[in-house]
Amino acid sequence: MKSSIPNPARPVGAAVPPWDDDYKNHSIEGKLNGWRGLFDQLTGLCYNRHGGIASNTPLMIERLSNSGIKSRFIDVEIMGMREKKGIGTIVVIDAFDPANPKPYSERMKELDHIEEAPFDLPQNRLLRMPRLNHATLKESWEKMNRHNIGGLLWEGFVMKADEPYEWLSNPSYCSPSWHKWRIL
């Protein structure tokens, strides 16, 4: 049974690259090198990926409390914690409500009003993950990797099936419908 406080979805390592035909029907996003966070809009609490209270709570509340996202939980990547690129920027990965599960395609409609993160990540912004075209992933990686000079900003890709958000009761578990491909 899942706990009442969810842990963010965690992708499992992919067996084949994202440009393989296995992922033609998946949504593919860039994978950033930041700190995961989960904002509970109902309680106003912010969690890290291990289920503890996030050290970035003030920044998360500032960026997310008036984001216009309707779902209870907002899953994010907090930038500038490992690398200095994108300091103060929060990138929305997903949003979900355990009481009203929706497939990925429906959840993403809630995020369309938020600007997509460019590969050259700006500072002090609220953005959403870029949704990438399966047919041009190798070219996208070349563009993403150009912004890794002097540090690791982009790590690879996350491929998501069009299924409900798989939040975790244990942060050590993985979400089977999310796969990751680390290039670096």
Side-chain angles (χ1 to χ4, degrees):
M1 182 167 166
K2 293 185 177 184
S3 71
S4 61
I5 300 171
N7 291 287
R10 184 172 174 219
V12 64
V16 297
W19 41 83
D20 190 90
D21 284 345
D22 287 4
Y23 294 112
K24 268 188 152 174
N25 295 320
H26 282 68
S27 295
I28 303 174
E29 300 173 352
K31 183 176 183 328
L32 282 163
N33 183 21
W35 282 9
R36 286 294 284 281
L38 192 65
F39 178 54
D40 183 344
Q41 296 195 92
L42 182 64
T43 65
L45 295 174
C46 301
Y47 301 96
N48 61 31
R49 75 177 188 97
H50 301 290
I53 298 299
S55 61
N56 316 74
T57 291
L59 178 64
M60 290 174 70
I61 289 172
E62 175 189 330
R63 295 268 187 274
L64 298 169
S65 60
N66 294 311
S67 65
I69 297 171
K70 304 288 186 224
S71 289
R72 177 177 173 180
F73 291 97
I74 306 173
D75 181 359
V76 300
E77 198 77 33
I78 304 159
M79 302 310 299
M81 304 309 296
R82 290 192 175 96
E83 300 291 334
K84 297 307 172 205
K85 295 178 181 180
I87 291 174
T89 291
I90 291 184
V91 182
V92 177
I93 296 172
D94 213 316
F96 67 100
D97 187 344
N100 183 21
K102 299 176 189 173
Y104 174 85
S105 56
E106 291 298 312
R107 295 190 316 270
M108 291 305 102
K109 290 176 184 176
E110 285 189 49
L111 309 180
D112 281 342
H113 67 282
I114 298 172
E115 181 183 348
E116 189 171 86
F119 295 146
D120 184 16
L121 199 63
Q123 295 183 352
N124 300 313
R125 302 280 300 280
L126 176 63
L127 303 166
R128 66 174 164 82
M129 281 295 180
R131 298 178 200 138
L132 306 172
N133 184 319
H134 182 266
T136 59
L137 285 178
K138 289 180 182 178
E139 293 84 1
S140 291
W141 174 248
E142 289 174 17
K143 292 176 188 174
M144 292 161 68
N145 197 32
R146 282 187 219 130
H147 298 285
N148 284 338
I149 296 171
L152 179 61
L153 180 64
W154 295 97
E155 296 179 309
F157 302 98
V158 174
M159 296 74 75
K160 300 177 183 179
D162 193 28
E163 296 181 9
Y165 186 96
E166 291 182 293
W167 61 276
L168 304 170
S169 59
N170 182 324
S172 298
Y173 296 163
C174 289
S175 305
S177 67
W178 287 24
H179 295 179
K180 69 181 172 186
W181 185 262
R182 276 204 169 133
I183 296 185
L184 298 174

